[in-house]
Amino acid sequence: AGPCDIYSSGGTPCVAAHSTTRALYSAYTGSLYQVKRGSDGATTIIAPVSAGGVANAATQDSFCAGTTCLITIIYDQSGRGNHLTQAPPGGFKGPESNGYDNLASATGAPVTLNGKKAYGVFISPGTGYRNNAASGIAKGDAAEGMYAVLDGTHYNSGCCFDYGNAETSSTDTGNGHMEAIYFGTNTVWGSGSGSGPWVMADLENGLFSGSNSKNNAGDPSVSYRFLTALIKGGPNKWAIRGANAASGSLSTYYNGARPSVSGYNPMSKEGAIILGIGGDNSVGAQGTFYEGVMTSGYPSDATENSVQADIVAAKYAVGSQTSGPALTVGSSVSLRATTSGFNTRYIAHSGSTVNTQEVSSSSSTALKQQASWTVRAGLANSACVSFESKDTAGSYLRHYDFTLQLNSNDGSKQFREDATFCPQAGLNGQGNSLQSWSYPTRYFRHYSNVVHAASNGGVHTFDATSSFNDDVSWVVGASFA
Ligand code: AHR
Ligand code: AHR
């Protein structure tokens, strides 16, 4: 049985079931998600390999070979048509044209389930999915439950990495108008013990960790690589539960009455569904989503415990983050452009500016050093890499406003994430494409000889689709200095 079969048996059926990694009903053979590729804008659907099985990642890999892909639709497996698509502007605008949010890269969150490759939904700040016309989701004070499997190591303090029930208008309509799982280190409203990240409930105008509207020490910091996060709520009762999604059982972090602050008892839920954003389309947060469901009715702890056992049996594990020629940590490299007419130019720096320059064996020693980089283990994820300047020790290539800069490592989480890149097989068939770990739709790209973290089509001039594959493909060679 899958998670939604278990919820059905418990009398609290799924009314939304979303996953890019697997079927959530044992008999489900339908669509899991849709991807759209950059080369020609064509779309395809990814389904389970077999009834109740893992997503057919091979379909995605062949469809997206030699180009980029975005996740355009996350289908609802419950039969209610509660699909998630690109979130529209609301109280806040997203970064895409017309204020829409960004779509997630299809390759940002590789995993395996029982040894079989699949991809999760890697939400960078600015990315969000929504359904403002969902059917069957709890409204008013009606009871519901929900869980999500997340990456407990991918989070930030922005508002708000959520999955669950929100406003149908994409605007803040007041206390109690949401009931969603939140995960991260935001402390504007509530918090738990330690320094986070925490699983909390976003009930609108507040992230709640228990009965107190601020700190509740019973809500622990949790950072399992695979995290089961669970919220449920009904008339004057709600609970937060969590677990390692790869082993063990659920713990209850809170179980009790609604917050005493006015507006949350009774609740005024509206029944839209959000992923990766706040109720008012706040887009500052990041996180990774693998699967999640929402139920009708308040699930029993026993039902949820069985769901957790099913998640553990799915055997989530880390997938390979890299492809193409290997970059050896500790080696010194040069990075040569491959676009015709530019393929004698190398990534170099002039102070903090990162550009491409003509470099050869007869160049000055200074220029040779400016175009030489030491490969380091990725500062935010050791499965990927960072590039330290040969002539400015302690300074690394990082993106800032999606343009590369050479900056000294200030030790912050932001810096480490901005400076981590995952080498992929070059999109034009040559060398490597260097995919940003924190914004996996973005790659090292030269544009007017300046290097950016560019997406294939986007609002910046440097996101131009023309010659994208060539501009993001680099031959990694021995360093000049
Ligand atoms: O409740 C926290 C956030 O506050 C909500 O997600 C958002 O709608 C509002 O800004
Ligand atoms: O490059 C995009 C973002 O811009 C970086 O993550 C951040 O450091 C800056 O605000």
Side-chain angles (χ1 to χ4, degrees), residues 130 138-140 144 164-169 171-180 202-205 263-264 266-272 274 279:
R130 192 164 193 127
K139 290 189 175 154
E144 66 180 346
N165 194 330
E167 292 95 339
T168 55
S169 60
T171 60
D172 180 347
T173 50
N175 295 2
H177 284 248
M178 296 177 63
E179 186 164 67
D202 190 343
L203 304 180
E204 189 51 278
N205 298 315
Y264 301 99
M267 294 285 285
S268 309
K269 300 175 221 182
E270 297 192 20
I274 51 171

Side-chain angles (χ1 to χ4, degrees), residues 125 398-403 414-415 417-418 438-439 442 453:
R398 62 86 63 94
H399 59 84
Y400 190 90
D401 286 343
F402 306 123
T403 293
Q414 183 75 60
F415 185 92
E417 295 181 353
D418 290 350
S438 53
Y439 288 84
R442 298 185 170 277

Side-chain angles (χ1 to χ4, degrees), residues 336-345 356-358 430 446 449 470-471:
R336 183 175 61 78
T338 62
T339 310
S340 162
F342 299 86
N343 57 12
T344 52
R345 301 182 74 93
T356 62
Q357 299 189 51
E358 297 277 355
Q430 296 182 60
H446 65 92
N449 300 328
D470 290 336
D471 292 351

Side-chain angles (χ1 to χ4, degrees), residues 374-395:
T374 306
V375 178
R376 300 294 184 200
L379 295 176
N381 183 329
S382 60
C384 300
V385 301
S386 294
F387 296 95
E388 185 178 8
S389 165
K390 197 81 187 190
D391 64 11
T392 315
S395 284

Side-chain angles (χ1 to χ4, degrees), residues 53-277:
V54 175
N56 194 336
T59 306
Q60 175 180 313
D61 289 344
S62 61
F63 184 77
C64 303
T67 186
T68 52
C69 267
L70 299 172
I71 296 172
T72 35
I73 304 174
I74 304 165
Y75 291 100
D76 171 23
Q77 302 176 29
S78 80
R80 291 181 172 267
N82 290 332
H83 314 313
L84 295 172
T85 58
Q86 185 170 22
F92 293 92
K93 285 185 169 139
E96 275 301 349
S97 47
N98 303 317
Y100 273 72
D101 295 355
N102 292 139
L103 293 164
S105 162
T107 60
V111 288
T112 62
L113 279 74
N114 275 303
K116 297 189 189 93
K117 185 176 184 183
Y119 295 99
V121 186
F122 190 100
I123 301 281
S124 307
T127 305
Y129 293 84
R130 192 164 193 127
N131 185 329
N132 280 343
S135 90
I137 305 298
K139 290 189 175 154
D141 208 28
E144 66 180 346
M146 63 192 78
Y147 82 85
V149 177
L150 308 173
D151 178 345
T153 67
H154 183 212
Y155 56 85
N156 70 4
S157 61
C159 176
C160 291
F161 179 71
D162 288 353
Y163 173 72
N165 194 330
E167 292 95 339
T168 55
S169 60
S170 299
T171 60
D172 180 347
T173 50
N175 295 2
H177 284 248
M178 296 177 63
E179 186 164 67
I181 295 164
Y182 165 82
F183 179 67
T185 50
N186 187 299
T187 54
V188 171
W189 297 282
S191 61
S193 64
S195 52
W198 304 284
V199 178
M200 298 192 274
D202 190 343
L203 304 180
E204 189 51 278
N205 298 315
L207 303 176
F208 291 90
S209 53
S211 60
N212 191 298
S213 65
K214 290 292 186 184
N215 183 266
N216 293 281
D219 195 29
S221 293
V222 281
S223 52
Y224 303 114
R225 175 62 179 76
F226 296 99
L227 168 71
T228 307
L230 193 151
I231 295 286
K232 53 183 164 180
N236 200 22
K237 63 174 180 181
W238 69 288
I240 310 175
R241 308 182 75 201
N244 182 342
S247 71
S249 51
L250 284 162
S251 299
T252 299
Y253 302 155
Y254 176 73
N255 180 18
R258 289 291 186 184
S260 45
V261 201
S262 120
Y264 301 99
N265 183 30
M267 294 285 285
S268 309
K269 300 175 221 182
E270 297 192 20
I273 308 173
I274 51 171
L275 172 59
I277 48 180

